[in-house]
Amino acid sequence: MLRLIPLSLVVLPALALAKPLTVCTEASPEGFDVVQYNSLVTTAASADPLMNRLVEFDAVTGRVVAGLAEKWAVSDDGLAYTFTIRPRVPFHSTEYFKPSRFLTTDDVVFSFERMLNPNHPWFKTAPNGYPHARSMQFDKLIKVVKKLDDRTVRFELNYPEATFLASLTMGFASIYSAEYAEHLLKAGVPDQLNQKPIGTGPFVFKSYLKDSVVRYDSNPQYFGAKPKVDKLIYAITPDSAVRLQKLKANECQVVISPKPQDVEAARLVGGLQALESPAFMTAFVALNTQHPPLDNLLVRQAINLAFDRNSYLTTVFGHSGQAASGPLPPTTWGMDKTLVPYPHDVIRARKLLADAGLANGFSTTVWVRPSGSVLNPNPKAGAELLQADLAKVGIKAEVKVVEWGELIKRGKAGEHDLLFMGWAGDNGDPDNFYTPQFSCAAVQSGTNFARFCDEKLDKLVTDAKRITDTKQRIKLYQAAQHMVHDQALWVPLAHPVASVLVRSNVSGYRVNPFGRHDFSSVILK
């Protein structure tokens, strides 16, 4: 059996420690067991710094590349994926866990079995379930994850799926330590996996103070390129203006999710830089079709017609967002660019409400997060604009500001009426949006925030990812796009520009269009 050499016995060359990197983030993570969650905030605090996957997605080349697996092979029928993992990859060694061995395929099997097998001892330890694995229908897709030897593992599928390999780059497909999990289970504290994570990534978890700070140390045993900073600090700072002030004062060197006006302001300050990239994301308001009268198509269409999209874009996104007509960002293959958003038409909206028997309007709620993000730079202003637009057609909307973690939890439970939300794809495939947001399985997992399960739409989405012919997939996705539009499941808002603010002494950071963060290559001059 491969065993780790204790770090205390390894003679390392004497190096001057690099400076710590402090990143001002917009919200607290929901936890650190990323498979239980689906928000970018949580992914940024867990999967990105702490974990690795069998394969990763290179946002620059648009290709799946090697991760923990150094190579892989796919059977001719597309039903078997065989991975060979890298040798001698160590798990993190911390005060709360000292691994006795390197990564093996036992860890790969565990990482997927805990999410997919109801009889697995870890399956029921996640109170939130496994939303991404379920919405991506991995429980139906994967027949078995089979260990062939310590370094070779095979995924056997029930049917071929064109998106499977790319899906393995997502945060929920991170590889966990089976040894650590066994240790926690025997101790009767499986919840510690969500509080004291262990991974193979470039940084090692140190501590977390809710709503304040997350601290990481550089991983001296990382199998990839070693981080250029010795410590990484996430300073949780919900107020965007305060994040900018901290950047100016050098209290943080990186700011994520700035408001558009803060980006413009930073450009005028010497020593600061704004880094940008078109984001593979869509901001929207989900209409809960399980809550009357939102189950009425005429009502959902009336809400879309009542909304003044141009005013919203100008106020909330400034010049940094592009109007959305549907789920897919405009650069996505499969996007039907002929689809036109609902116009702003108050008279027609009133008529549709009258036709629905609601000439005098109705009361509802609009749920929104308290702090800004790249997908919702100014939540309060956006919610109040929608509230005012709805009032003009007789709809009385109460704005409910809900803390981010609670908003996600209760939104997945379907408690909302209208919900300001956003979605970021992970690899450029249209399925990144349609399966998690519009499949029937995603209603059960909670990521389908419109709570809309339709046999025809579900079949379009399912068929599109089970075939490899791109032209046929495009036809199916465009048909799905028109159905989502005609059913008015969302009020599509915008496709944002992903912006990150940095001090001029920061180099090596690249803005990821999918909202992921890699700070391992950052250099502080």
Side-chain angles (χ1 to χ4, degrees):
M1 177 183 291
L2 295 172
R3 293 194 177 273
L4 289 179
I5 301 172
L7 187 58
S8 59
L9 301 181
V10 179
V11 179
L12 298 174
L15 295 174
L17 289 179
K19 300 175 183 177
L21 174 68
T22 301
V23 180
C24 280
T25 66
E26 78 272 32
S28 294
E30 300 152 274
F32 295 91
D33 184 14
V34 67
V35 301
Q36 296 190 46
Y37 309 104
N38 63 278
S39 75
L40 280 175
V41 170
T42 299
T43 299
S46 55
D48 290 347
L50 298 171
M51 314 293 286
N52 296 101
R53 281 114 329 251
L54 288 172
V55 288
E56 307 286 359
F57 190 78
D58 187 327
V60 176
T61 64
R63 297 171 63 89
V64 174
V65 298
L68 291 173
E70 60 183 7
K71 61 181 179 180
W72 60 91
V74 185
S75 63
D76 291 340
D77 60 7
L79 293 176
Y81 288 70
T82 304
F83 296 88
T84 301
I85 64 173
R86 298 176 187 270
R88 301 178 68 81
V89 174
F91 281 101
H92 298 157
S93 180
T94 69
E95 294 178 356
Y96 52 87
F97 178 67
K98 307 291 183 186
S100 69
R101 61 169 177 80
F102 291 106
L103 168 78
T104 73
T105 51
D106 288 327
D107 304 301
V108 179
V109 173
F110 163 76
S111 298
F112 287 89
E113 281 286 299
R114 68 170 288 215
M115 296 189 289
L116 306 178
N117 182 1
N119 297 317
H120 193 278
W122 268 86
F123 183 82
K124 294 181 180 179
T125 63
N128 303 301
Y130 306 96
H132 250 132
R134 190 169 184 181
S135 67
M136 301 298 286
Q137 301 177 49
F138 267 32
D139 53 339
K140 296 179 181 178
L141 171 64
I142 298 174
K143 180 190 296 184
V144 65
V145 183
K146 185 180 297 184
K147 173 183 177 178
L148 302 184
D149 58 45
D150 277 353
R151 290 187 53 213
T152 312
V153 63
R154 177 178 297 151
F155 288 72
E156 296 180 4
L157 310 184
N158 287 309
Y159 45 84
E161 186 169 286
T163 61
F164 177 64
L165 190 64
S167 294
L168 293 181
T169 69
M170 298 171 70
F172 81 95
S174 296
I175 304 303
Y176 287 72
S177 166
E179 182 186 19
Y180 180 48
E182 182 181 7
H183 166 76
L184 294 178
L185 208 58
K186 284 183 177 179
V189 288
D191 59 304
Q192 291 292 300
L193 189 68
N194 197 28
Q195 302 168 28
K196 296 180 177 180
I198 292 290
T200 58
F203 294 96
V204 179
F205 179 80
K206 193 68 177 175
S207 65
Y208 170 51
L209 182 61
K210 184 174 172 57
D211 299 329
S212 180
V213 64
V214 189
R215 297 182 184 277
Y216 311 87
D217 284 344
S218 171
N219 179 5
Q221 295 180 298
Y222 187 50
F223 71 90
K226 303 298 186 291
K228 306 299 189 298
V229 294
D230 69 310
K231 295 182 183 298
L232 174 65
I233 300 169
Y234 281 7
I236 300 165
T237 314
D239 190 305
S240 178
V242 175
R243 292 200 295 276
L244 179 58
Q245 289 301 321
K246 285 187 173 183
L247 186 70
K248 292 178 180 177
N250 199 26
E251 293 178 29
C252 56
Q253 294 77 51
V254 179
V255 163
I256 62 176
S257 298
K259 288 183 179 180
Q261 54 265 44
D262 292 334
V263 174
E264 295 303 317
R267 289 195 173 105
L268 302 177
V269 178
L272 303 185
Q273 298 180 57
L275 309 178
E276 295 184 327
S277 170
F280 192 69
M281 306 176 187
T282 304
F284 59 91
V285 177
L287 310 182
N288 189 340
T289 61
Q290 293 181 346
H291 283 194
L294 301 176
D295 58 340
N296 189 319
L297 172 60
L298 297 179
V299 173
R300 298 196 302 271
Q301 290 176 332
I303 290 173
N304 269 273
L305 290 166
F307 180 61
D308 187 344
R309 183 175 285 98
N310 290 334
S311 176
Y312 174 86
L313 281 171
T314 301
T315 302
V316 176
F317 282 89
H319 302 292
S320 67
Q322 182 176 342
S325 61
L328 296 181
T331 56
T332 316
W333 62 268
M335 164 75 171
D336 186 351
K337 297 183 180 180
T338 66
L339 192 66
V340 178
Y342 283 87
H344 179 47
D345 192 332
V346 172
I347 294 175
R348 189 176 163 204
R350 284 186 174 275
K351 182 179 184 306
L352 288 180
L353 288 175
D355 292 345
L358 295 166
N360 295 322
F362 62 95
S363 297
T364 190
T365 58
V366 176
W367 291 37
V368 69
R369 63 187 292 168
S371 59
S373 70
V374 64
L375 282 157
N376 193 349
N378 196 332
K380 182 176 183 292
E384 290 175 349
L385 285 172
L386 178 59
Q387 180 185 46
D389 287 341
L390 294 179
K392 293 174 184 175
V393 298
I395 300 174
K396 303 174 187 65
E398 175 192 357
V399 174
K400 298 184 68 173
V401 179
V402 184
E403 184 271 327
W404 174 239
E406 193 70 10
L407 183 78
I408 290 288
K409 179 181 178 181
R410 296 175 67 182
K412 288 195 294 187
E415 296 181 28
H416 61 282
D417 295 325
L418 280 70
L419 173 66
F420 273 86
M421 188 49 65
W423 196 256
D426 291 85
N427 52 48
D429 195 291
D431 183 65
N432 258 193
F433 285 81
Y434 283 108
T435 290
Q437 285 296 320
F438 302 110
S439 69
C440 291
V443 175
Q444 300 303 316
S445 71
T447 60
N448 182 336
F449 294 107
R451 314 290 294 177
F452 185 79
C453 174
D454 178 87
E455 184 177 341
K456 181 180 178 182
L457 179 57
D458 196 62
K459 188 176 189 305
L460 285 172
V461 173
T462 300
D463 288 351
K465 66 179 181 178
R466 290 189 182 179
I467 58 178
T468 56
D469 185 282
T470 302
K471 290 183 179 180
Q472 290 299 316
R473 293 187 74 199
I474 287 174
K475 288 181 180 179
L476 293 171
Y477 284 130
Q478 290 187 346
Q481 184 176 352
H482 279 270
M483 189 169 180
V484 169
H485 174 272
D486 294 345
Q487 287 291 327
L489 304 179
W490 286 2
V491 178
L493 299 175
H495 306 295
V497 172
S499 301
V500 172
L501 305 180
V502 301
R503 292 187 62 83
S504 57
N505 63 329
V506 171
S507 64
Y509 181 81
R510 186 187 295 272
V511 178
N512 186 301
F514 307 109
R516 304 289 291 272
H517 296 283
D518 178 8
F519 295 111
S520 65
S521 59
V522 170
I523 299 172
L524 285 177
K525 301 174 184 176

